[in-house]
Amino acid sequence: MATDFKLSAKARTDVGKGASRRLRRLVGEIPAIVYGGEKAPQMLNVSHKDLSKALEDESFYSHIITLDIEGVGAESVVLKALQRHPAKPYLLHADFLRVDATHAITLRVPLHFLNAEKCVGVRLGGGTISHAISELEVRCLPKDLPEFIEVDLAELAVGQIIHISELTLPAGVESVQLAHGADHDLPVVTVMAPRGGADEEAKEEA
C-alpha cells in the first residue's frame, strides 16, 4: 500500500438524533461506529474535517485504516459505509469494520480505466466508451486488498464488451459477483457504435 491512513476518534456515550446534531453543529465532529471481530460495537466521534480530508484520496475507501480511539487504543479498520447529507456537503455518519489479518473481508474497490485515448474502437471506429460499473466488490485477506483494479481499454473494438471475468485480479483476490456463478458475470465497459453508422448515412444520402 502506498499510503498509511490514520484517523483519530473518541468514544461516544451521548446517543440519539439530538446528540448527533449537537455534535456536528457545536464540536465539528460526526457520529460513527466501529464493529466486527470479537469485540462489541463501539460508538465513536470523529472529526468532520479530518474525515473529509481523508476522503479526498480515493484509496481511503479501499485501504486499511488505523483508527486511534482515545483511551482505548488503535484498531485496524476499513470504511464500510458513509452517510452524507442529501443536499449539503456534510458527512452525517461513518461505519468502520474491524479487520483481522487471518479473516477475509469484503469491500468495493474502484476500477481504473487505462488507455481510453488509445482505444481502437474510439480512435479508429469513432465509438464511445460506456462504463457499466466503476467499482468491483471483492473478497480477500486484508494484506491482499488492492487500492484499485486496472482495466486496459487499448484493444477494445466497437461493440466489444469487457466482463468481470476478463478483469485481471491480484493474487488472493476474488470477485464476489463471480462467486455467485456465471450468470453474475456482469459487463464492466463497452465501446458503443457511433450514432447513425454506415447504414443510416446511406439512407440519408438516398
Side-chain angles (χ1 to χ4, degrees):
M1 301 292 180
T3 307
D4 291 326
F5 289 105
K6 296 181 180 180
L7 190 65
S8 297
K10 301 174 185 176
R12 175 166 58 98
T13 56
D14 192 8
V15 297
K17 292 184 178 180
S20 296
R21 285 194 293 268
R22 289 192 297 273
L23 187 68
R24 288 187 285 263
R25 184 177 69 252
L26 301 178
V27 189
E29 297 179 340
I30 66 168
I33 186 172
V34 60
Y35 58 91
E38 298 180 355
K39 296 181 181 180
Q42 183 169 7
M43 311 296 286
L44 305 171
N45 300 341
V46 296
S47 165
H48 186 283
K49 178 181 178 181
D50 292 347
L51 182 55
S52 295
K53 181 66 176 177
L55 291 170
E56 293 177 2
D57 190 328
E58 179 192 50
S59 59
F60 185 81
Y61 293 86
S62 56
H63 202 288
I64 306 300
I65 305 160
T66 299
L67 187 64
D68 190 3
I69 306 173
E70 186 178 275
V72 177
E75 297 200 52
S76 295
V77 302
V78 292
L79 179 64
K80 194 63 176 177
L82 190 66
Q83 183 181 356
R84 301 177 185 269
H85 192 282
K88 300 177 181 179
Y90 300 151
L91 303 174
L92 299 179
H93 194 277
D95 290 13
F96 296 97
L97 174 68
R98 297 185 183 101
V99 298
D100 184 296
T102 61
H103 290 78
I105 58 175
T106 300
L107 205 65
R108 293 187 176 276
V109 174
L111 300 177
H112 282 191
F113 296 93
L114 308 180
N115 297 317
E117 71 285 353
K118 300 178 181 178
C119 177
V120 172
V122 174
R123 187 166 51 87
L124 301 180
T128 303
I129 295 173
S130 176
H131 300 92
I133 59 175
S134 60
E135 58 184 12
L136 183 69
E137 190 173 27
V138 302
R139 183 171 176 80
C140 62
L141 292 175
K143 69 178 181 65
D144 296 324
L145 181 64
E147 293 183 2
F148 55 84
I149 295 170
E150 295 182 346
V151 185
D152 192 349
L153 306 180
E155 301 301 322
L156 196 62
V158 171
Q160 284 190 322
I161 302 173
I162 295 179
H163 290 83
I164 293 176
S165 61
E166 299 172 89
L167 300 179
T168 301
L169 303 182
V173 178
E174 67 173 2
S175 162
V176 173
Q177 291 289 344
L178 291 184
H180 294 315
D183 291 343
H184 296 267
D185 188 12
L186 303 177
V188 175
V189 61
T190 186
V191 176
M192 305 294 291
R195 285 191 175 184
D199 291 341
E200 291 293 331
E201 291 177 4
K203 290 179 182 179
E204 289 176 5
E205 290 177 2

